[in-house]
Amino acid sequence: MSRNKNLILGQMSVAFDDLIMTQQHPDLADEQAYIDHAYDCLETSRKAAFRVRGLNEASMGGTFQARFERNAFDGQLVRRLEELELGDASLVFGRIDRYAESPDQLEAFHIGRLAVADEDREPVVVDWRAPVAEPFYRATGRDSMGLARRRHFTVESRNLLGIEDEFFGEGHLGLGHDEGLGGEPGVVTADSGLRGYSTLLAALERGRTGTLGDIVATIQGEQDEIIRSPQTGVLVVQGGPGTGKTVVALHRAAYLLYTHRFPLEDQGVLVIGPNRVFLRYIERVLPSLGEAGVKQAVLADLIPGVQFRRPDEPGDSPEAVKIKGEERMSDMVDNAIADRKRPLRNDFEMPFRAGYVRLRAAESARIVKNAKRRFKRHNSGRRAVEGEFWSALADSYLDPEIGPRDVKDTLRHTPEARAALDTMWPLLTPAQLLHDLFGSRALLKLAARGVMSESEALALYRERSATVDDVRWALSDVALLDDVRDVLGPRPGKGGKIDELDEIRTYGHIVIDEVQDLTPMQLKMATRRSLSGAMTIVGDLAQATGPLAPNEWDDVLAHLPDRKPARVIGLSVGYRIPGQIMELANKVMAVATPSLRAPDSVRVGDVSPTIVRAPSTELLGKTVADEVLALAGAIPGASLGIVAPDQMIDDLSVALTEAGVDHGTATRTGLDAGVTLVPVSVVKGLELDGVVVVEPSVIVDSIEHGMRALYVALTRSTQRLTVVHADELPAPLR
């Protein structure tokens, strides 16, 4: 850092405008040398961490305390080594020059993926999350935040390809001086408030790799505002397609872990995605930012001990899916559990030694009533009921020397005693309760009293499996199993001890993507895991296609923590999707969600979307294959996707195979293949270089919110879009 301090203002060359981007920049060689120096320092740090870890591992034995401390220290070293492992990611991506104590002096800071120091502990690279780095993302001509210059690097791995300078101060407005979007409506240009415009466009033009990349080098002002927002309460991020809401949420998780390392590292951060295809797509973002310990999961991952059907397996009927997502299912669960706490209908009598022990039906009613009053969680009341059960039986025996333990030791393994206890207060698992409930029309009708109609309750009925272990649960059951788990509580283990792993784990911060598709029951499930009510939820109401799609964010917030007032922030700029594609998609959006405004696009594509009609339904697959091959020729090496109705995926796969098109299917291979068939049900949140959308009318007709689903499908491409159809097109596309 010392080599960059005290730069004289006069040394700064002033260009004819505020934007300079050239591979022949006069400082290119010097900056490349600095980057090489930073990598040398990074490698030195890595070697030092490996050396210390080796010494730590060598010191075996010692007291329990010593071993504990050694293991804790080793965990810190492992985390540090994970941070220092960049792979192909660039270490340094920019620099800021800010005014020092004297108005004629500047101090420079290189901004990068993580902090790096030299052997004298002098900073060489500043972590992008550090307060000193904030002006790199937030400074404007109106508010320079003390900057004289901001410099963006175009870097591939450790090779510096270009430099882009922005100057501030008198005579230099800086990019973003108008604090808004200027020029033509719906079009974003270099003078529209963007930071590092050329660098940003270069990043956006790169081909997709099948996994989401980070944006740490090109974070824009409105994105940075979200990333650095206070971590308390619920933050809602509304963002249309291509606005970067997913990657912003992940960068926010990395920022919060950096800023609040204690206590968040111990409390944990949870990222909830809509499906496994999506999780695979985003899996590298946080590790690339040095945060490998964040749990990324779909909701089903949070339910232990049960098997779920694959997304491509038949599930519940649409009516059942909708009902199971409604909040009133919690009342039905409460009723179902209450129905399992039943006093004995008749007196219980068992032979004991020379006589009998007896429990009157009225006494069993008193025991159950007392336990209901004392215990909010069902399973925690079982030991109390057992204790009173054995005490009552002992009291009924005429010999005062006989106590509850004597009776228990003799009778606890008898089928009659177990049956009586299981009638009064059974130990239950979530799977057992729902297996019994959904497999009995009588129990469904009983649990539905005062909650829903009989016909609605019977829509939940399904044939019982031979055993509860044989059940493959529908994805619509996930939130119900969790709700039951919460009400039941853990089953007491040996000696009455509770396994902490059986409790629902909470997290210091939760990130939820595509939140607009979560049902009230699923939102309650996420809330249950929030330790302090701190959440970042991102989504787009225009893309809400779930069975209970909300119209307003208040509909979502009603089921989330409310300890602090929620904040709603919108992303207005679309970075991923070319303007021509957005223009077509917006025709659909105007019908699907007329009250919402589409984002303004940063980019203008080289071609407009094409709409191709297949000669017949029978030749639809061949037409799709032809268009895919045409796209592959137009954008060589690109990642291509075929987005189609779920029910058409298998037939299209056959057609592609017959046409000699190698391909994968997103539900099995992710986006690893060059050409990927993507069911429309899992396409949300993904991006590809070229996309073929198949049979829009079928998409619209086969899903409850089909026009919104079509909007999602049309907004997945970063370069080229083709629509193929045999049926008549939906009205907005004609």
Side-chain angles (χ1 to χ4, degrees):
M1 186 68 68
S2 58
R3 64 188 287 238
N4 281 327
K5 286 185 177 180
N6 301 322
L7 298 177
I8 306 301
L9 281 172
Q11 295 177 330
M12 297 176 57
S13 61
V14 178
F16 65 91
D17 63 16
D18 295 322
L19 179 65
I20 304 172
M21 180 67 182
T22 171
Q23 294 189 5
Q24 303 303 314
H25 193 287
D27 294 342
L28 194 71
D30 287 343
E31 293 289 14
Q32 179 65 70
Y34 193 92
I35 291 172
D36 291 339
H37 173 62
Y39 272 98
D40 291 342
C41 293
L42 176 68
E43 183 59 26
T44 300
S45 295
R46 291 184 72 252
K47 289 178 178 178
F50 272 116
R51 187 165 57 252
V52 173
R53 193 183 184 208
L55 293 172
N56 187 59
E57 289 178 337
S59 56
M60 304 297 291
T63 63
F64 174 82
Q65 179 68 23
R67 292 195 301 273
F68 176 83
E69 291 176 355
R70 187 168 58 248
N71 290 338
F73 184 56
D74 189 69
Q76 293 176 353
L77 289 170
V78 169
R79 186 176 68 79
R80 180 57 177 163
L81 285 167
E82 289 173 344
E83 290 176 352
L84 298 175
E85 184 55 57
L86 295 180
D88 293 331
S90 57
L91 171 60
V92 188
F93 44 76
R95 165 181 151 182
I96 55 175
D97 298 341
R98 73 179 188 183
Y99 294 99
E101 293 89 1
S102 164
D104 62 344
Q105 290 184 327
L106 297 174
E107 55 183 359
F109 299 92
H110 282 77
I111 312 300
R113 197 171 296 275
L114 53 91
V116 177
D118 61 21
E119 58 186 11
D120 298 323
R121 297 186 177 262
E122 287 289 324
V124 176
V125 182
V126 174
D127 192 297
W128 67 275
R129 296 167 289 186
V132 73
E134 186 173 349
F136 182 76
Y137 302 106
R138 303 285 283 276
T140 67
R142 182 177 296 175
D143 180 10
S144 68
M145 301 179 71
L147 295 192
R149 174 170 60 186
R150 173 169 52 209
R151 173 167 283 182
H152 296 267
F153 297 154
T154 299
V155 185
E156 285 188 3
S157 186
R158 61 186 297 164
N159 299 316
L160 179 61
L161 305 180
I163 296 173
E164 178 181 353
D165 280 336
E166 300 170 67
F167 295 96
F168 299 85
E170 188 175 350
H172 301 285
L173 292 176
L175 295 186
H177 60 272
D178 62 356
E179 298 295 332
L181 300 178
E184 300 177 34
V187 178
V188 182
T189 60
D191 61 351
S192 299
L194 297 177
R195 319 299 188 250
Y197 187 69
S198 298
T199 305
L200 172 64
L201 287 184
L204 294 173
E205 294 294 339
R206 293 193 186 111
R208 270 46 193 174
T209 62
T211 58
L212 184 63
D214 64 69
I215 60 167
V216 64
T218 57
I219 295 170
Q220 297 300 301
E222 67 171 5
Q223 297 174 327
D224 192 67
E225 180 185 355
I226 294 167
I227 291 169
R228 296 177 191 267
S229 291
Q231 90 114 355
T232 56
V234 177
L235 176 65
V236 181
V237 182
Q238 161 67 42
T243 56
K245 56 185 179 293
T246 295
V247 73
V248 165
L250 296 173
H251 283 66
R252 173 164 167 76
Y255 171 79
L256 292 175
L257 277 164
Y258 174 87
T259 309
H260 307 283
R261 183 68 66 186
F262 178 83
L264 275 185
E265 193 168 60
D266 289 333
Q267 295 173 350
V269 174
L270 172 65
V271 175
I272 299 174
N275 52 64
R276 300 197 191 283
V277 176
F278 179 85
L279 288 185
R280 188 170 177 180
Y281 178 62
I282 69 169
E283 64 184 359
R284 291 303 308 158
V285 175
L286 283 166
S288 76
L289 298 173
E291 302 295 348
V294 176
K295 182 174 179 63
Q296 302 183 47
V298 297
L299 289 175
D301 295 334
L302 306 177
I303 305 296
V306 298
Q307 300 180 75
F308 291 98
R309 302 171 197 170
R310 296 193 310 271
D312 56 352
E313 292 183 287
D316 286 326
S317 68
E319 182 183 8
V321 170
K322 189 171 184 177
I323 293 170
K324 286 181 178 181
E326 295 175 347
E327 191 173 15
R328 56 181 174 161
M329 283 301 300
S330 285
D331 295 329
M332 192 171 186
V333 163
D334 290 342
N335 287 346
I337 294 173
D339 291 338
R340 302 298 297 269
K341 305 168 186 178
R342 304 169 185 168
L344 301 176
R345 292 184 178 180
N346 302 303
D347 294 350
F348 172 80
E349 189 175 87
M350 282 282 292
F352 178 77
R353 295 191 179 181
Y356 290 87
V357 289
R358 182 180 294 105
L359 176 66
R360 302 287 185 187
E363 180 66 5
S364 76
R366 183 194 66 80
I367 293 172
V368 171
K369 183 179 179 180
N370 286 344
K372 283 182 177 180
R373 187 181 70 252
R374 290 176 56 197
F375 298 98
K376 291 184 178 181
R377 305 182 82 186
H378 174 83
N379 284 335
S380 61
R382 170 68 180 226
R383 285 180 59 82
V385 170
E386 284 189 9
E388 292 202 46
F389 178 82
W390 301 121
S391 293
L393 291 179
D395 290 344
S396 72
Y397 198 68
L398 298 178
D399 187 350
E401 299 296 321
I402 296 297
R405 178 161 294 278
D406 300 309
V407 180
K408 178 181 179 181
D409 290 345
T410 302
L411 301 180
R412 63 180 175 178
H413 296 302
T414 62
E416 295 85 355
R418 304 314 303 176
L421 280 169
D422 288 343
T423 296
M424 294 170 60
W425 203 281
L427 276 175
L428 297 168
T429 67
Q432 287 172 328
L433 182 86
L434 292 183
H435 181 239
D436 292 342
L437 178 63
F438 293 151
S440 168
R441 292 184 176 88
L443 290 178
L444 281 168
K445 289 190 284 187
L446 192 62
R449 62 189 186 280
V451 178
M452 63 183 68
S453 68
E454 184 174 305
S455 63
E456 288 176 313
L458 293 179
L460 306 178
Y461 174 79
R462 62 188 180 214
E463 294 292 334
R464 287 176 61 89
S465 300
T467 69
V468 67
D469 293 334
D470 295 330
V471 179
R472 289 179 62 84
W473 297 89
L475 294 179
S476 54
D477 293 322
V478 171
L480 288 181
L481 287 163
D482 195 69
D483 196 73
V484 176
R485 182 185 180 192
D486 183 52
V487 179
L488 292 180
R491 289 167 59 101
K494 192 173 182 180
K497 293 184 177 180
I498 302 286
D499 187 349
E500 291 185 4
L501 296 177
D502 202 23
E503 287 279 15
I504 294 174
R505 181 182 171 183
T506 57
Y507 293 84
H509 199 90
I510 297 176
V511 176
I512 309 176
D513 206 344
E514 305 297 348
V515 71
Q516 75 278 350
D517 287 335
L518 296 191
T519 67
M521 289 297 290
Q522 291 169 331
L523 292 168
K524 285 182 63 179
M525 179 178 177
T527 296
R528 210 171 279 129
R529 283 158 175 79
S530 177
L531 179 64
S532 60
M535 287 186 175
T536 302
I537 64 171
V538 300
D540 181 13
L541 294 177
Q543 299 184 60
T545 57
L548 298 165
N551 295 313
E552 305 289 342
W553 282 115
D554 285 347
D555 299 334
V556 175
L557 291 170
H559 309 288
L560 294 175
D562 58 359
R563 302 177 199 179
K564 301 257 183 168
R567 295 158 290 153
V568 181
I569 301 179
L571 291 169
S572 60
V573 180
Y575 302 95
R576 168 170 47 87
I577 306 168
Q580 298 97 317
I581 295 177
M582 279 306 305
E583 183 179 358
L584 179 67
N586 288 345
K587 295 177 180 179
V588 175
M589 182 181 176
V591 175
T593 54
S595 62
L596 297 178
R597 180 179 180 271
D600 298 303
S601 184
V602 163
R603 301 165 58 221
V604 177
D606 53 359
V607 295
S608 295
T610 57
I611 298 178
V612 178
R613 184 155 197 167
S616 66
T617 301
E618 290 74 21
L619 293 174
L620 178 67
K622 182 179 182 307
T623 305
V624 169
D626 291 343
E627 294 303 320
V628 169
L629 292 172
L631 275 181
I635 41 177
S639 63
L640 305 180
I642 304 164
V643 183
D646 290 38
Q647 64 270 32
M648 297 179 66
I649 293 295
D650 290 342
D651 289 343
L652 287 171
S653 182
V654 171
L656 291 171
T657 300
E658 291 176 349
V661 179
D662 291 332
H663 63 280
T665 302
T667 52
R668 297 185 179 92
T669 62
L671 302 182
D672 292 343
V675 177
T676 306
L677 273 165
V678 188
V680 71
S681 63
V682 301
V683 75
K684 202 171 293 178
L686 307 182
E687 60 184 47
L688 301 111
D689 296 320
V691 171
V692 177
V693 175
V694 182
E695 212 61 276
S697 62
V698 179
I699 292 175
V700 171
D701 294 339
S702 61
I703 302 174
E704 182 175 356
H705 300 282
M707 199 64 75
R708 295 182 182 182
L710 177 58
Y711 175 66
V712 174
L714 294 171
T715 53
R716 298 305 99 196
S717 175
T718 66
Q719 296 187 43
R720 300 206 179 184
L721 171 67
T722 301
V723 177
V724 178
H725 68 106
D727 296 347
E728 193 70 28
L729 286 171
L733 298 184
R734 295 174 194 164

